[in-house]
Amino acid sequence: MTHFSFTSQAGQTDHASDIVIVPVYDKRAPGVATMIAPAQMGAAIQHAMTTDLHFQGKTGQTLTVPAPAGSNFKKMILVGMGATKGMDSLRAETIGGKIYTAVAATGMTSLTILANDFSGANAHMAADLAHGFVLKSYTFDKYKSQAPQAPDYTIRIALPNPTPAREKFAQLAPVAAGAFLARDLANEPPNVLTPKTMAERVRVAMEPLGLNPEIIHEAGLKALGAGAFVAVGQGSSPDKRPMMVVLRYNGTGNDTSRPLALVGKGLTFDTGGLSLKTNMSNMKFDMGGAAAVIGAMAALAGRKAPVDVVAVLGLARNDIGPDANCVDDIVTAMNGKTIDVQNTDAEGRLVLADCLTYVQRRFNPHTVIDLATLTGACKAALGSTMCGVFSNDETLSKRIRASGAKVSERGWPMPLGPEFSAAIRGTYSDLVNIGNGGPGASTAAAFLQEFIEGKTKWAHLDIAGVANGVFGHPTMPDKIGTGFGVRLLNQLIMDHFEKKPKAPKTEAAPAPKA
């Protein structure tokens, strides 16, 4: 656990902590904290900078040295703030992540951050720094027999006006909790996390937030005509059969409004089916889309966002068994379209197809956004740097990318078009589940587009390359579940979908009498 307190700067060096964090700007320009520090601390700071010429104050650089004798601290960590101008939330968050790394290396757990430079209009950014510290602190050691005990950090952030930072951090804390929930789910091994246990984990996480999941089991899916979805999980054992989880968050209090819909692919493990994968390593992360949607819903409910959102999770295992679907099977999706299964490893789009139809026909959303670890082709194109963004609405695509950039969960625009739609036309059926030539990420997205009805705005985020590691990310873990998409969705909703409070009406002043 990490405990933060945002306090005024008065007596900032009188408080005893293991570590004091001192900001320094690019080219070792002193920050406010450096200039107003007590004499012995100021001398120690100058000595550290002059003896370690590598430390230049660049963003996120750190230098750990002994605290001066007579101070209330054991260690002093100088942290680079970057340029003296242009501080923003993302840079502050990056610095917070770097502070965590430097602090963790000391083994100490109490610290004071001299955040005098976060003043005036920048005061709220001290919360972003704290948020970066929290996000970077994530670990997943529950299955190690000799797992180290997670430290309890006590952090005091001293700044001129702590109120804006304190208020903002209260809104950021549920977002970090949502990201951690998504990471925890993704990192569970497949012998623990099955469709059934994942649905139960959703219930346990959501009920305290006031959300009661609705679970539609295999029999219910068959009754709905979800033949594509059911086909994917029919090779699994009876206790691992497919199911759909539905979550509703009504943050505006208006039960009649059209919601935003989030849809997540939740393959808790993917063997490839009879089209067997040659390498199944990391296929437990094939539920990363569903994990991101769950985390985003937790974040929205946790911070009481004024927005109406419905989430649909398609949970299944793509296993091999006596009843597993075969190549050349033809299945019928919920919207009546027939699909020739040309590759059983192109299963995620079959699950999503019925989820997309279901959410539109039941809830009539104005916008649908799906997240899925859908294609290796997208990872080949973008690597572990950003997700692919496909959309039938250019404004929606731009908004997703702009909001994602604010939280360093970036997206890149990917192509849709008639040539990709033509590649998924079937000979014996309406559609085939794998394109006849053409780039696989785009033909997969074109397949999903076949299940978008009317004028519904839609975007598909292919997160195959970023579900378990994002190259060079300042606050995400590497090689394990990242929770990519939680903060992107939260920021997008905050920027564009929340109901803004109406400005109070002001009566015009009476005209002066002549």
Side-chain angles (χ1 to χ4, degrees):
M1 293 288 293
T2 303
H3 307 278
F4 285 95
S5 61
F6 296 87
T7 65
S8 66
Q9 64 186 25
Q12 58 185 343
T13 56
D14 297 336
H15 180 86
S17 296
D18 292 332
I19 301 170
V20 61
I21 307 294
V22 182
V24 179
Y25 285 88
D26 194 16
K27 298 179 182 177
R28 298 186 289 180
V32 175
T34 306
M35 292 186 284
I36 67 173
Q40 79 271 26
M41 280 192 63
I45 293 166
Q46 292 301 323
H47 177 73
M49 288 193 294
T50 54
T51 55
D52 191 324
L53 298 180
H54 174 71
F55 179 79
Q56 293 291 317
K58 297 186 182 300
T59 299
Q61 268 192 320
T62 58
L63 175 61
T64 303
V65 296
S71 73
N72 289 315
F73 311 105
K74 299 174 183 176
K75 296 261 185 202
M76 184 167 61
I77 298 178
L78 309 187
V79 59
M81 302 286 280
T84 53
K85 294 182 179 179
M87 178 63 69
D88 59 19
S89 292
L90 187 56
R91 200 207 306 182
E93 186 180 290
T94 299
I95 293 166
K98 295 294 186 180
I99 290 174
Y100 168 78
T101 301
V103 169
T106 69
M108 298 177 179
T109 58
S110 67
L111 55 149
T112 295
I113 300 176
L114 306 184
N116 311 69
D117 295 82
F118 291 106
S119 60
N122 287 347
H124 66 94
M125 293 182 194
D128 297 300
L129 184 145
H131 190 48
F133 186 101
V134 173
L135 289 169
K136 187 65 176 176
S137 71
Y138 178 84
T139 57
F140 191 83
D141 295 324
K142 66 183 288 187
Y143 293 106
K144 293 181 179 178
S145 59
Q146 301 295 325
Q149 184 174 357
D152 289 331
Y153 290 104
T154 302
I155 302 173
R156 177 174 175 264
I157 300 181
L159 68 162
N161 179 12
T163 301
R166 192 180 297 124
E167 292 174 347
K168 184 174 184 181
F169 189 72
Q171 291 290 300
L172 290 174
V175 181
F180 280 22
L181 172 60
R183 293 175 185 180
D184 282 347
L185 289 169
N187 287 319
E188 288 287 358
N191 60 323
V192 172
L193 198 76
T194 65
K196 181 179 178 180
T197 57
M198 186 170 177
E200 176 61 14
R201 289 279 291 270
V202 173
R203 184 191 66 77
V204 170
M206 294 300 174
E207 284 185 349
L209 297 171
L211 277 65
N212 297 305
E214 175 187 350
I215 299 175
I216 303 173
H217 295 274
E218 184 181 29
L221 292 172
K222 288 180 177 178
L224 289 168
F229 188 166
V230 170
V232 172
Q234 69 189 35
S236 56
S237 58
D239 62 334
K240 298 180 179 68
R241 291 291 187 168
M243 58 184 63
M244 183 187 290
V245 177
V246 182
L247 287 165
R248 296 191 71 178
Y249 172 70
N250 182 222
T252 69
N254 182 358
D255 292 329
T256 62
S257 66
R258 296 178 68 190
L260 166 69
L262 305 177
V263 177
K265 173 190 171 185
L267 268 291
T268 60
F269 193 73
D270 179 20
T271 67
L274 293 179
S275 302
L276 192 66
K277 289 181 181 291
T278 56
N279 183 359
M280 297 179 211
S281 177
N282 293 327
M283 280 300 103
K284 70 176 186 176
F285 297 117
D286 213 16
M287 39 64 71
V293 170
I294 294 164
M297 293 295 282
L300 297 174
R303 64 180 184 83
K304 297 179 172 57
V307 65
D308 298 329
V309 185
V310 60
V312 171
L313 316 173
L315 309 183
R317 275 178 61 116
N318 188 17
D319 284 333
I320 297 173
D323 297 321
N325 66 325
C326 300
V327 173
D328 288 338
D329 278 359
I330 294 179
V331 298
T332 303
M334 193 184 297
N335 69 352
K337 291 186 179 181
T338 57
I339 305 162
D340 188 345
V341 179
Q342 287 295 293
N343 189 317
T344 63
D345 195 22
E347 85 300 329
R349 64 202 72 181
L350 299 179
V351 170
L352 289 173
D354 284 335
C355 290
L356 291 169
T357 298
Y358 179 83
V359 77
Q360 290 171 96
R361 294 191 174 179
R362 179 175 174 185
F363 297 104
N364 190 28
H366 54 78
T367 305
V368 178
I369 302 173
D370 75 76
L371 287 83
T373 50
L374 205 64
T375 66
C378 194
K379 184 174 183 178
L382 300 176
S384 295
T385 57
M386 61 191 79
C387 70
V389 181
F390 302 82
S391 183
N392 63 2
D393 185 271
E394 184 59 25
T395 298
L396 177 60
S397 175
K398 287 180 178 178
R399 286 176 172 178
I400 289 170
R401 288 178 276 134
S403 294
K406 289 182 180 180
V407 295
S408 198
E409 292 192 358
R410 296 181 296 155
W412 190 260
M414 300 291 279
L416 282 170
E419 62 273 36
F420 306 123
S421 297
I424 56 167
R425 300 294 167 214
T427 300
Y428 301 104
S429 59
D430 299 324
L431 305 170
V432 291
N433 76 325
I434 191 163
N436 298 311
S442 289
T443 55
F447 182 93
L448 296 180
Q449 192 173 21
E450 292 289 325
F451 300 88
I452 301 301
E453 302 183 348
K455 296 182 179 180
T456 303
K457 295 179 182 178
W458 162 74
H460 159 58
L461 276 58
D462 192 330
I463 62 170
V466 289
N468 58 304
V470 182
F471 180 75
H473 197 282
T475 59
M476 278 186 177
D478 189 24
K479 298 180 181 178
I480 64 174
T482 61
F484 185 105
V486 173
R487 298 178 63 227
L488 184 158
L489 290 173
N490 177 74
Q491 189 66 46
L492 173 72
I493 290 167
M494 187 185 299
D495 289 343
H496 300 291
F497 292 102
E498 291 185 4
K499 185 178 181 180
K500 306 300 180 185
K502 292 182 179 179
K505 292 183 179 180
T506 56
E507 295 184 6
K513 293 182 179 180

